Amino acid sequence: MEKKEGKHAWTVTVGTKGQIVIPKEARDIFGIKPGDALLILGDDKQGMAIPPKEMFASYFEQIFGNKK
């Protein structure tokens, strides 16, 4: 199977405390460092996603509106 540029897939194991380890290659590609906060989005039908941290503000505004 041919790998598409910019597309990645990894497997992770969920530990007994519900924790997962993000593979080093993924951490390197996406610049994830110890102590970073990650946003996990979920949809009952489509599954889960971990968007880039640069998208946090955009997702929060879409979910909660612009509450200033």
Side-chain angles (χ1 to χ4, degrees), residues 2-53:
E2 183 181 332
K3 181 180 176 188
K4 293 186 178 184
E5 184 71 26
K7 305 292 182 185
H8 311 279
W10 299 276
T11 60
V12 298
T13 301
V14 179
T16 57
K17 294 182 180 182
Q19 298 169 318
I20 63 169
V21 174
I22 299 171
K24 181 176 180 351
E25 183 183 20
R27 295 190 315 265
D28 291 346
I29 289 170
F30 295 105
I32 300 170
K33 305 283 186 242
D36 282 353
L38 301 176
L39 177 66
I40 298 178
L41 303 174
D43 180 280
D44 289 346
K45 293 181 179 147
Q46 295 184 24
M48 294 172 50
I50 305 173
K53 26 186 186 194

